[in-house]
Each structure stands twice: as C-alpha cells, then as structure tokens.
Amino acid sequence: MDYKIIVDGKDVTSGVNIVDDVLYAFDRAGAMADDVKMVVDNASPFQFAKGQSVTVKFDGYATGEMVVDKVEAGTRNASVGAISTTAGAKKKQSRHYRKVRFFDIINDVATATGFSVFYQGAVENRLYESVTRWCETPLAFLNRLCVRVGYGLKIDDKRIIVYCKESAETETPVMTITQADTIGGCVAFRDAASVTQALTVRYFDLNTGRNIEYTARIPDDGEHITVVEYLHDAAEAERFAKNYLAEKNKMGTTATALIPINTDIAATSVIAFDGFGRYDGNYFIEELAHCPLTEQTKITARKIKGV
C-alpha cells in the first residue's frame, strides 16, 4: 500500500527506509494521545529530529499533525515516535478554580496548551463550586474531570475531544467481526483477572464540619478504593463514585483482532463480534493500530456491559 510521510510540510517518504515494516499509526479513544511509531534505518537519507512536525497518509487516511518526541538511535536502526500533542501538554502544574463551569476549565487548559476543543454527544456544562488541579499534566487533569462525570477524552490532531461515553456506547455497530473477517483467525478475548468491587468518594469540610461521601459497589469480590476530593453535595459524591468505579472496571472483557487494514472505523466507534459464544456482543474500540506496509489493522476493544 502506498503511503506518505510528511515532515515540516515536505514529502520525505523516499528518504525514509522503514525497517521490518514497523510503521504504525495509533488511533486511541482514551486520554493517551494518538501517535505514530516507526523503526528507520540509520543509513536513511532523511534523519528525524525531535520537534519536527510529522503527518503520515495512506488509504485516504491522515494522522493529522504530530510532533516527534522520541528518536532513539541504535547500532543500525532508530526508533522514532511522534505524538498528537503540544509542547505544553507535558508540563505538570497546580491550580485552583472556584465557581467555574466545566467548559470554562476545558477551554482554559486548551488555550494554555495550544489545543482546539470539540464536544460530542450529551456533554453538560456543569457548574462546580471548587476544582483543584494537583501537580498534573493538562491531559491527566482533564481526563480526571471527564472520568468522574462519565465522559471520555480523546486527543488527536492537536484537538481535545470530550465525548459522552454513554451516548457513544449506545451507537449502532459500524461493523461486525466474525472469525472469517480476521487475518489467519487472529482474534483473542480476555477477562480481567481482578476487579474493583467498591469505590468511595469522600470529602470533609473543615469549615463546616460536614462529611460527604458515597460508596459505589458491584456484586463481585475485589479491592475497595477511597478517593478524597472536594464534593459539593451527596448527589455529586454519588455521580463521581459511580463513574470512577465504572472506569476502573471498564476493561473487564477485552478483545483484540487483526483484520485487513480498515481506516473507515475509528477509536470510540462501536463494533460487534459474532460467532464467539459468550464473547459475542458489542464492543467499544479503545485503540486501532494501522500498518500500511503490512496492510493490517489491529483492534483493541472492550465489551460494553449489558450488550
């Protein structure tokens, strides 16, 4: 399959000798940014350097602009990584917000780090009495804010995409995968070895002497986690606890499958598996790894509970 590697606006494909077909474009649904990974012959006419802008194109698909953040040279080859983020996205900071709306926090962080912002699905612009960022990177901070209210955070092409997970998970599957759809029958399912059985969110207000907490539980054996953070009321405690617990256990059943390259599907899409017994059902795509050289796509997805 033909592909192009664009660096700082120039097509350098002919000057990049890829080793062992290692050229992958990753599309991710979670807080980890989309990225590109490749192994390049050190004798290649073109040499990568940190800070360069990279876009990989193939099969009508483009990764969007990424920044080279890793060049590790070995004896013969170099491992190169580029990520869909900005220089400011790795800096840990602390800040306190009071009486602020959800969108204002997202936009504040996006503006400071050079991202644009998009919202998908039923995302509410809630008002918060108090929100604290505790020495966190921008993306770690925003991911925590999203998780506790049931939202997902996707990073691609220097965009912050906030989406409602409940809305995304109820979408109609974009494709159904059977054994025959995979390459060489390469499909595997895995059940998590352990779960989080209970999660408590707690806050004690020293000024009023008021204690607010809520414990979310599932009917299973496992660990009990406690999270301490500001809570405005009991309803907020319940909402945070239930969503934190759901996030902890979301990878309860996962599937990986190798299929012919398919750039029409995307992370955050829903797919179905059929013909695999108890593992049949709808799955949410957490990660896609496209390789234009082998013309393959590796899917990593999690089973949507109750579907």
Side-chain angles (χ1 to χ4, degrees), residues 154-188:
K154 177 172 171 55
I155 311 298
D156 75 354
D157 200 15
K158 295 184 179 179
R159 299 184 303 171
I160 292 172
I161 302 173
V162 179
Y163 62 93
C164 175
K165 287 191 281 189
E166 183 178 1
S167 298
E169 291 176 1
T170 57
E171 292 290 327
T172 301
V174 296
M175 70 179 297
T176 297
I177 297 176
T178 66
Q179 192 88 35
D181 297 313
T182 64
I183 296 175
C186 189
V187 59

PDB file of all heavy atoms in Angstrom, residues 154-188:
ATOM      1  N   LYS A 154     -10.537  12.295  24.171  1.00  0.00           N
ATOM      2  CA  LYS A 154      -9.738  11.810  23.041  1.00  0.00           C
ATOM      3  C   LYS A 154      -8.840  12.937  22.545  1.00  0.00           C
ATOM      4  O   LYS A 154      -9.285  14.088  22.451  1.00  0.00           O
ATOM      5  CB  LYS A 154     -10.653  11.328  21.911  1.00  0.00           C
ATOM      6  CG  LYS A 154      -9.897  10.861  20.667  1.00  0.00           C
ATOM      7  CD  LYS A 154     -10.815  10.226  19.649  1.00  0.00           C
ATOM      8  CE  LYS A 154     -10.110   9.970  18.329  1.00  0.00           C
ATOM      9  NZ  LYS A 154      -8.887   9.162  18.466  1.00  0.00           N
ATOM     10  N   ILE A 155      -7.588  12.609  22.227  1.00  0.00           N
ATOM     11  CA  ILE A 155      -6.626  13.593  21.751  1.00  0.00           C
ATOM     12  C   ILE A 155      -6.166  13.200  20.354  1.00  0.00           C
ATOM     13  O   ILE A 155      -5.565  12.150  20.162  1.00  0.00           O
ATOM     14  CB  ILE A 155      -5.390  13.675  22.677  1.00  0.00           C
ATOM     15  CG1 ILE A 155      -5.806  13.812  24.147  1.00  0.00           C
ATOM     16  CG2 ILE A 155      -4.479  14.816  22.255  1.00  0.00           C
ATOM     17  CD1 ILE A 155      -6.589  15.050  24.460  1.00  0.00           C
ATOM     18  N   ASP A 156      -6.476  14.035  19.357  1.00  0.00           N
ATOM     19  CA  ASP A 156      -5.950  13.780  18.017  1.00  0.00           C
ATOM     20  C   ASP A 156      -5.806  15.090  17.252  1.00  0.00           C
ATOM     21  O   ASP A 156      -6.568  16.023  17.443  1.00  0.00           O
ATOM     22  CB  ASP A 156      -6.831  12.776  17.248  1.00  0.00           C
ATOM     23  CG  ASP A 156      -8.139  13.371  16.733  1.00  0.00           C
ATOM     24  OD1 ASP A 156      -8.423  14.544  17.064  1.00  0.00           O
ATOM     25  OD2 ASP A 156      -8.862  12.674  16.018  1.00  0.00           O
ATOM     26  N   ASP A 157      -4.774  15.146  16.429  1.00  0.00           N
ATOM     27  CA  ASP A 157      -4.519  16.310  15.581  1.00  0.00           C
ATOM     28  C   ASP A 157      -4.582  17.612  16.382  1.00  0.00           C
ATOM     29  O   ASP A 157      -5.154  18.601  15.930  1.00  0.00           O
ATOM     30  CB  ASP A 157      -5.529  16.342  14.424  1.00  0.00           C
ATOM     31  CG  ASP A 157      -5.044  17.208  13.264  1.00  0.00           C
ATOM     32  OD1 ASP A 157      -3.843  17.534  13.240  1.00  0.00           O
ATOM     33  OD2 ASP A 157      -5.868  17.556  12.396  1.00  0.00           O
ATOM     34  N   LYS A 158      -3.967  17.578  17.576  1.00  0.00           N
ATOM     35  CA  LYS A 158      -3.924  18.731  18.474  1.00  0.00           C
ATOM     36  C   LYS A 158      -5.326  19.229  18.839  1.00  0.00           C
ATOM     37  O   LYS A 158      -5.563  20.428  19.009  1.00  0.00           O
ATOM     38  CB  LYS A 158      -3.090  19.860  17.870  1.00  0.00           C
ATOM     39  CG  LYS A 158      -1.618  19.511  17.715  1.00  0.00           C
ATOM     40  CD  LYS A 158      -0.790  20.670  17.219  1.00  0.00           C
ATOM     41  CE  LYS A 158       0.679  20.289  17.107  1.00  0.00           C
ATOM     42  NZ  LYS A 158       1.509  21.400  16.592  1.00  0.00           N
ATOM     43  N   ARG A 159      -6.251  18.259  18.950  1.00  0.00           N
ATOM     44  CA  ARG A 159      -7.619  18.577  19.370  1.00  0.00           C
ATOM     45  C   ARG A 159      -7.942  17.827  20.653  1.00  0.00           C
ATOM     46  O   ARG A 159      -7.555  16.673  20.821  1.00  0.00           O
ATOM     47  CB  ARG A 159      -8.634  18.162  18.299  1.00  0.00           C
ATOM     48  CG  ARG A 159      -8.469  18.832  16.963  1.00  0.00           C
ATOM     49  CD  ARG A 159      -9.600  18.410  16.027  1.00  0.00           C
ATOM     50  NE  ARG A 159      -9.660  16.958  15.869  1.00  0.00           N
ATOM     51  CZ  ARG A 159     -10.658  16.329  15.247  1.00  0.00           C
ATOM     52  NH1 ARG A 159     -11.686  17.009  14.764  1.00  0.00           N
ATOM     53  NH2 ARG A 159     -10.635  15.009  15.129  1.00  0.00           N
ATOM     54  N   ILE A 160      -8.640  18.493  21.551  1.00  0.00           N
ATOM     55  CA  ILE A 160      -9.218  17.851  22.725  1.00  0.00           C
ATOM     56  C   ILE A 160     -10.673  17.563  22.387  1.00  0.00           C
ATOM     57  O   ILE A 160     -11.453  18.490  22.136  1.00  0.00           O
ATOM     58  CB  ILE A 160      -9.121  18.755  23.962  1.00  0.00           C
ATOM     59  CG1 ILE A 160      -7.663  18.934  24.398  1.00  0.00           C
ATOM     60  CG2 ILE A 160      -9.947  18.185  25.115  1.00  0.00           C
ATOM     61  CD1 ILE A 160      -7.477  19.960  25.495  1.00  0.00           C
ATOM     62  N   ILE A 161     -11.041  16.298  22.378  1.00  0.00           N
ATOM     63  CA  ILE A 161     -12.412  15.913  22.077  1.00  0.00           C
ATOM     64  C   ILE A 161     -13.023  15.312  23.338  1.00  0.00           C
ATOM     65  O   ILE A 161     -12.556  14.290  23.843  1.00  0.00           O
ATOM     66  CB  ILE A 161     -12.473  14.893  20.927  1.00  0.00           C
ATOM     67  CG1 ILE A 161     -11.813  15.472  19.665  1.00  0.00           C
ATOM     68  CG2 ILE A 161     -13.920  14.496  20.642  1.00  0.00           C
ATOM     69  CD1 ILE A 161     -11.681  14.491  18.533  1.00  0.00           C
ATOM     70  N   VAL A 162     -14.047  15.965  23.860  1.00  0.00           N
ATOM     71  CA  VAL A 162     -14.762  15.472  25.040  1.00  0.00           C
ATOM     72  C   VAL A 162     -16.060  14.843  24.552  1.00  0.00           C
ATOM     73  O   VAL A 162     -16.842  15.494  23.858  1.00  0.00           O
ATOM     74  CB  VAL A 162     -15.052  16.607  26.029  1.00  0.00           C
ATOM     75  CG1 VAL A 162     -15.821  16.072  27.244  1.00  0.00           C
ATOM     76  CG2 VAL A 162     -13.757  17.277  26.479  1.00  0.00           C
ATOM     77  N   TYR A 163     -16.270  13.571  24.899  1.00  0.00           N
ATOM     78  CA  TYR A 163     -17.472  12.894  24.425  1.00  0.00           C
ATOM     79  C   TYR A 163     -18.170  12.168  25.570  1.00  0.00           C
ATOM     80  O   TYR A 163     -17.550  11.784  26.567  1.00  0.00           O
ATOM     81  CB  TYR A 163     -17.136  11.898  23.303  1.00  0.00           C
ATOM     82  CG  TYR A 163     -16.201  10.779  23.708  1.00  0.00           C
ATOM     83  CD1 TYR A 163     -16.694   9.552  24.161  1.00  0.00           C
ATOM     84  CD2 TYR A 163     -14.817  10.932  23.626  1.00  0.00           C
ATOM     85  CE1 TYR A 163     -15.845   8.528  24.520  1.00  0.00           C
ATOM     86  CE2 TYR A 163     -13.957   9.915  23.980  1.00  0.00           C
ATOM     87  CZ  TYR A 163     -14.471   8.713  24.423  1.00  0.00           C
ATOM     88  OH  TYR A 163     -13.622   7.688  24.793  1.00  0.00           O
ATOM     89  N   CYS A 164     -19.468  12.004  25.424  1.00  0.00           N
ATOM     90  CA  CYS A 164     -20.273  11.297  26.417  1.00  0.00           C
ATOM     91  C   CYS A 164     -20.149   9.797  26.149  1.00  0.00           C
ATOM     92  O   CYS A 164     -20.565   9.319  25.086  1.00  0.00           O
ATOM     93  CB  CYS A 164     -21.730  11.734  26.324  1.00  0.00           C
ATOM     94  SG  CYS A 164     -22.830  10.813  27.415  1.00  0.00           S
ATOM     95  N   LYS A 165     -19.570   9.059  27.094  1.00  0.00           N
ATOM     96  CA  LYS A 165     -19.356   7.628  26.879  1.00  0.00           C
ATOM     97  C   LYS A 165     -20.665   6.864  26.752  1.00  0.00           C
ATOM     98  O   LYS A 165     -20.778   5.930  25.945  1.00  0.00           O
ATOM     99  CB  LYS A 165     -18.501   7.050  28.019  1.00  0.00           C
ATOM    100  CG  LYS A 165     -17.039   7.460  27.929  1.00  0.00           C
ATOM    101  CD  LYS A 165     -16.157   6.694  28.874  1.00  0.00           C
ATOM    102  CE  LYS A 165     -16.248   7.223  30.265  1.00  0.00           C
ATOM    103  NZ  LYS A 165     -15.221   6.631  31.168  1.00  0.00           N
ATOM    104  N   GLU A 166     -21.670   7.254  27.529  1.00  0.00           N
ATOM    105  CA  GLU A 166     -22.954   6.563  27.457  1.00  0.00           C
ATOM    106  C   GLU A 166     -23.565   6.707  26.066  1.00  0.00           C
ATOM    107  O   GLU A 166     -24.080   5.738  25.496  1.00  0.00           O
ATOM    108  CB  GLU A 166     -23.912   7.117  28.508  1.00  0.00           C
ATOM    109  CG  GLU A 166     -25.259   6.404  28.543  1.00  0.00           C
ATOM    110  CD  GLU A 166     -26.178   6.933  29.630  1.00  0.00           C
ATOM    111  OE1 GLU A 166     -25.792   7.870  30.347  1.00  0.00           O
ATOM    112  OE2 GLU A 166     -27.299   6.385  29.749  1.00  0.00           O
ATOM    113  N   SER A 167     -23.482   7.914  25.510  1.00  0.00           N
ATOM    114  CA  SER A 167     -24.008   8.138  24.164  1.00  0.00           C
ATOM    115  C   SER A 167     -23.223   7.336  23.136  1.00  0.00           C
ATOM    116  O   SER A 167     -23.797   6.700  22.243  1.00  0.00           O
ATOM    117  CB  SER A 167     -23.954   9.628  23.806  1.00  0.00           C
ATOM    118  OG  SER A 167     -24.744  10.400  24.675  1.00  0.00           O
ATOM    119  N   ALA A 168     -21.892   7.359  23.262  1.00  0.00           N
ATOM    120  CA  ALA A 168     -21.035   6.662  22.299  1.00  0.00           C
ATOM    121  C   ALA A 168     -21.274   5.154  22.330  1.00  0.00           C
ATOM    122  O   ALA A 168     -21.289   4.489  21.288  1.00  0.00           O
ATOM    123  CB  ALA A 168     -19.568   6.968  22.592  1.00  0.00           C
ATOM    124  N   GLU A 169     -21.478   4.609  23.538  1.00  0.00           N
ATOM    125  CA  GLU A 169     -21.625   3.162  23.673  1.00  0.00           C
ATOM    126  C   GLU A 169     -22.974   2.647  23.179  1.00  0.00           C
ATOM    127  O   GLU A 169     -23.139   1.442  22.972  1.00  0.00           O
ATOM    128  CB  GLU A 169     -21.409   2.753  25.130  1.00  0.00           C
ATOM    129  CG  GLU A 169     -19.969   2.918  25.603  1.00  0.00           C
ATOM    130  CD  GLU A 169     -19.789   2.609  27.071  1.00  0.00           C
ATOM    131  OE1 GLU A 169     -20.796   2.248  27.727  1.00  0.00           O
ATOM    132  OE2 GLU A 169     -18.647   2.708  27.568  1.00  0.00           O
ATOM    133  N   THR A 170     -23.941   3.522  22.991  1.00  0.00           N
ATOM    134  CA  THR A 170     -25.261   3.089  22.506  1.00  0.00           C
ATOM    135  C   THR A 170     -25.395   3.224  20.991  1.00  0.00           C
ATOM    136  O   THR A 170     -26.456   2.938  20.439  1.00  0.00           O
ATOM    137  CB  THR A 170     -26.388   3.898  23.176  1.00  0.00           C
ATOM    138  OG1 THR A 170     -26.173   5.303  22.932  1.00  0.00           O
ATOM    139  CG2 THR A 170     -26.410   3.655  24.674  1.00  0.00           C
ATOM    140  N   GLU A 171     -24.318   3.626  20.324  1.00  0.00           N
ATOM    141  CA  GLU A 171     -24.347   3.742  18.868  1.00  0.00           C
ATOM    142  C   GLU A 171     -24.471   2.360  18.223  1.00  0.00           C
ATOM    143  O   GLU A 171     -24.035   1.348  18.781  1.00  0.00           O
ATOM    144  CB  GLU A 171     -23.089   4.438  18.359  1.00  0.00           C
ATOM    145  CG  GLU A 171     -22.985   5.908  18.729  1.00  0.00           C
ATOM    146  CD  GLU A 171     -23.994   6.769  17.991  1.00  0.00           C
ATOM    147  OE1 GLU A 171     -24.310   6.442  16.828  1.00  0.00           O
ATOM    148  OE2 GLU A 171     -24.484   7.743  18.591  1.00  0.00           O
ATOM    149  N   THR A 172     -25.024   2.314  17.032  1.00  0.00           N
ATOM    150  CA  THR A 172     -25.129   1.070  16.266  1.00  0.00           C
ATOM    151  C   THR A 172     -23.738   0.647  15.810  1.00  0.00           C
ATOM    152  O   THR A 172     -22.952   1.496  15.365  1.00  0.00           O
ATOM    153  CB  THR A 172     -26.027   1.267  15.026  1.00  0.00           C
ATOM    154  OG1 THR A 172     -27.317   1.692  15.453  1.00  0.00           O
ATOM    155  CG2 THR A 172     -26.144  -0.019  14.222  1.00  0.00           C
ATOM    156  N   PRO A 173     -23.386  -0.643  15.924  1.00  0.00           N
ATOM    157  CA  PRO A 173     -22.056  -1.100  15.483  1.00  0.00           C
ATOM    158  C   PRO A 173     -21.776  -0.731  14.029  1.00  0.00           C
ATOM    159  O   PRO A 173     -22.655  -0.886  13.165  1.00  0.00           O
ATOM    160  CB  PRO A 173     -22.133  -2.618  15.672  1.00  0.00           C
ATOM    161  CG  PRO A 173     -23.147  -2.812  16.744  1.00  0.00           C
ATOM    162  CD  PRO A 173     -24.177  -1.740  16.524  1.00  0.00           C
ATOM    163  N   VAL A 174     -20.575  -0.230  13.778  1.00  0.00           N
ATOM    164  CA  VAL A 174     -20.204   0.157  12.415  1.00  0.00           C
ATOM    165  C   VAL A 174     -19.777  -1.052  11.589  1.00  0.00           C
ATOM    166  O   VAL A 174     -19.711  -0.980  10.363  1.00  0.00           O
ATOM    167  CB  VAL A 174     -19.078   1.211  12.425  1.00  0.00           C
ATOM    168  CG1 VAL A 174     -19.555   2.498  13.076  1.00  0.00           C
ATOM    169  CG2 VAL A 174     -17.832   0.679  13.140  1.00  0.00           C
ATOM    170  N   MET A 175     -19.462  -2.158  12.258  1.00  0.00           N
ATOM    171  CA  MET A 175     -19.130  -3.390  11.558  1.00  0.00           C
ATOM    172  C   MET A 175     -19.255  -4.568  12.513  1.00  0.00           C
ATOM    173  O   MET A 175     -19.217  -4.394  13.741  1.00  0.00           O
ATOM    174  CB  MET A 175     -17.712  -3.344  10.971  1.00  0.00           C
ATOM    175  CG  MET A 175     -16.598  -3.394  11.999  1.00  0.00           C
ATOM    176  SD  MET A 175     -14.928  -3.362  11.258  1.00  0.00           S
ATOM    177  CE  MET A 175     -14.925  -4.883  10.307  1.00  0.00           C
ATOM    178  N   THR A 176     -19.443  -5.767  11.948  1.00  0.00           N
ATOM    179  CA  THR A 176     -19.487  -6.997  12.729  1.00  0.00           C
ATOM    180  C   THR A 176     -18.316  -7.876  12.310  1.00  0.00           C
ATOM    181  O   THR A 176     -18.088  -8.082  11.110  1.00  0.00           O
ATOM    182  CB  THR A 176     -20.805  -7.758  12.510  1.00  0.00           C
ATOM    183  OG1 THR A 176     -21.887  -6.939  12.966  1.00  0.00           O
ATOM    184  CG2 THR A 176     -20.812  -9.068  13.287  1.00  0.00           C
ATOM    185  N   ILE A 177     -17.569  -8.358  13.282  1.00  0.00           N
ATOM    186  CA  ILE A 177     -16.393  -9.184  13.007  1.00  0.00           C
ATOM    187  C   ILE A 177     -16.685 -10.634  13.351  1.00  0.00           C
ATOM    188  O   ILE A 177     -17.126 -10.945  14.464  1.00  0.00           O
ATOM    189  CB  ILE A 177     -15.172  -8.687  13.806  1.00  0.00           C
ATOM    190  CG1 ILE A 177     -14.806  -7.265  13.377  1.00  0.00           C
ATOM    191  CG2 ILE A 177     -13.983  -9.635  13.629  1.00  0.00           C
ATOM    192  CD1 ILE A 177     -13.678  -6.653  14.183  1.00  0.00           C
ATOM    193  N   THR A 178     -16.457 -11.505  12.385  1.00  0.00           N
ATOM    194  CA  THR A 178     -16.532 -12.950  12.599  1.00  0.00           C
ATOM    195  C   THR A 178     -15.132 -13.512  12.426  1.00  0.00           C
ATOM    196  O   THR A 178     -14.193 -12.793  12.040  1.00  0.00           O
ATOM    197  CB  THR A 178     -17.481 -13.611  11.583  1.00  0.00           C
ATOM    198  OG1 THR A 178     -16.912 -13.480  10.264  1.00  0.00           O
ATOM    199  CG2 THR A 178     -18.861 -12.957  11.606  1.00  0.00           C
ATOM    200  N   GLN A 179     -14.976 -14.800  12.689  1.00  0.00           N
ATOM    201  CA  GLN A 179     -13.664 -15.431  12.523  1.00  0.00           C
ATOM    202  C   GLN A 179     -13.142 -15.245  11.103  1.00  0.00           C
ATOM    203  O   GLN A 179     -11.946 -14.998  10.884  1.00  0.00           O
ATOM    204  CB  GLN A 179     -13.773 -16.936  12.833  1.00  0.00           C
ATOM    205  CG  GLN A 179     -12.431 -17.641  12.988  1.00  0.00           C
ATOM    206  CD  GLN A 179     -11.901 -17.585  14.405  1.00  0.00           C
ATOM    207  OE1 GLN A 179     -12.654 -17.636  15.359  1.00  0.00           O
ATOM    208  NE2 GLN A 179     -10.589 -17.484  14.540  1.00  0.00           N
ATOM    209  N   ALA A 180     -14.043 -15.314  10.131  1.00  0.00           N
ATOM    210  CA  ALA A 180     -13.638 -15.206   8.732  1.00  0.00           C
ATOM    211  C   ALA A 180     -13.140 -13.810   8.363  1.00  0.00           C
ATOM    212  O   ALA A 180     -12.418 -13.642   7.368  1.00  0.00           O
ATOM    213  CB  ALA A 180     -14.809 -15.585   7.828  1.00  0.00           C
ATOM    214  N   ASP A 181     -13.507 -12.797   9.161  1.00  0.00           N
ATOM    215  CA  ASP A 181     -13.103 -11.422   8.866  1.00  0.00           C
ATOM    216  C   ASP A 181     -11.686 -11.117   9.352  1.00  0.00           C
ATOM    217  O   ASP A 181     -11.121 -10.072   8.998  1.00  0.00           O
ATOM    218  CB  ASP A 181     -14.068 -10.432   9.520  1.00  0.00           C
ATOM    219  CG  ASP A 181     -15.474 -10.553   8.970  1.00  0.00           C
ATOM    220  OD1 ASP A 181     -15.616 -10.605   7.738  1.00  0.00           O
ATOM    221  OD2 ASP A 181     -16.429 -10.614   9.777  1.00  0.00           O
ATOM    222  N   THR A 182     -11.132 -11.992  10.162  1.00  0.00           N
ATOM    223  CA  THR A 182      -9.803 -11.751  10.724  1.00  0.00           C
ATOM    224  C   THR A 182      -8.723 -12.340   9.825  1.00  0.00           C
ATOM    225  O   THR A 182      -8.988 -13.172   8.956  1.00  0.00           O
ATOM    226  CB  THR A 182      -9.673 -12.361  12.129  1.00  0.00           C
ATOM    227  OG1 THR A 182      -9.794 -13.791  12.034  1.00  0.00           O
ATOM    228  CG2 THR A 182     -10.758 -11.828  13.049  1.00  0.00           C
ATOM    229  N   ILE A 183      -7.511 -11.898  10.045  1.00  0.00           N
ATOM    230  CA  ILE A 183      -6.366 -12.428   9.293  1.00  0.00           C
ATOM    231  C   ILE A 183      -5.849 -13.669  10.012  1.00  0.00           C
ATOM    232  O   ILE A 183      -5.394 -13.580  11.158  1.00  0.00           O
ATOM    233  CB  ILE A 183      -5.251 -11.375   9.174  1.00  0.00           C
ATOM    234  CG1 ILE A 183      -5.749 -10.177   8.359  1.00  0.00           C
ATOM    235  CG2 ILE A 183      -3.998 -11.974   8.528  1.00  0.00           C
ATOM    236  CD1 ILE A 183      -4.767  -9.030   8.285  1.00  0.00           C
ATOM    237  N   GLY A 184      -5.958 -14.815   9.359  1.00  0.00           N
ATOM    238  CA  GLY A 184      -5.472 -16.063   9.946  1.00  0.00           C
ATOM    239  C   GLY A 184      -6.175 -16.450  11.233  1.00  0.00           C
ATOM    240  O   GLY A 184      -5.590 -17.148  12.074  1.00  0.00           O
ATOM    241  N   GLY A 185      -7.419 -15.996  11.398  1.00  0.00           N
ATOM    242  CA  GLY A 185      -8.144 -16.322  12.624  1.00  0.00           C
ATOM    243  C   GLY A 185      -7.568 -15.663  13.852  1.00  0.00           C
ATOM    244  O   GLY A 185      -7.774 -16.130  14.985  1.00  0.00           O
ATOM    245  N   CYS A 186      -6.851 -14.547  13.639  1.00  0.00           N
ATOM    246  CA  CYS A 186      -6.163 -13.878  14.759  1.00  0.00           C
ATOM    247  C   CYS A 186      -7.141 -13.006  15.538  1.00  0.00           C
ATOM    248  O   CYS A 186      -7.352 -11.832  15.224  1.00  0.00           O
ATOM    249  CB  CYS A 186      -5.001 -13.042  14.227  1.00  0.00           C
ATOM    250  SG  CYS A 186      -3.944 -12.379  15.519  1.00  0.00           S
ATOM    251  N   VAL A 187      -7.759 -13.591  16.553  1.00  0.00           N
ATOM    252  CA  VAL A 187      -8.654 -12.875  17.446  1.00  0.00           C
ATOM    253  C   VAL A 187      -8.552 -13.511  18.819  1.00  0.00           C
ATOM    254  O   VAL A 187      -8.393 -14.732  18.941  1.00  0.00           O
ATOM    255  CB  VAL A 187     -10.121 -12.914  16.929  1.00  0.00           C
ATOM    256  CG1 VAL A 187     -10.605 -14.342  16.804  1.00  0.00           C
ATOM    257  CG2 VAL A 187     -11.044 -12.106  17.832  1.00  0.00           C
ATOM    258  N   ALA A 188      -8.557 -12.692  19.849  1.00  0.00           N
ATOM    259  CA  ALA A 188      -8.418 -13.223  21.207  1.00  0.00           C
ATOM    260  C   ALA A 188      -9.276 -12.401  22.165  1.00  0.00           C
ATOM    261  O   ALA A 188      -9.445 -11.184  21.994  1.00  0.00           O
ATOM    262  CB  ALA A 188      -6.955 -13.186  21.658  1.00  0.00           C
TER     263      ALA A 188
END
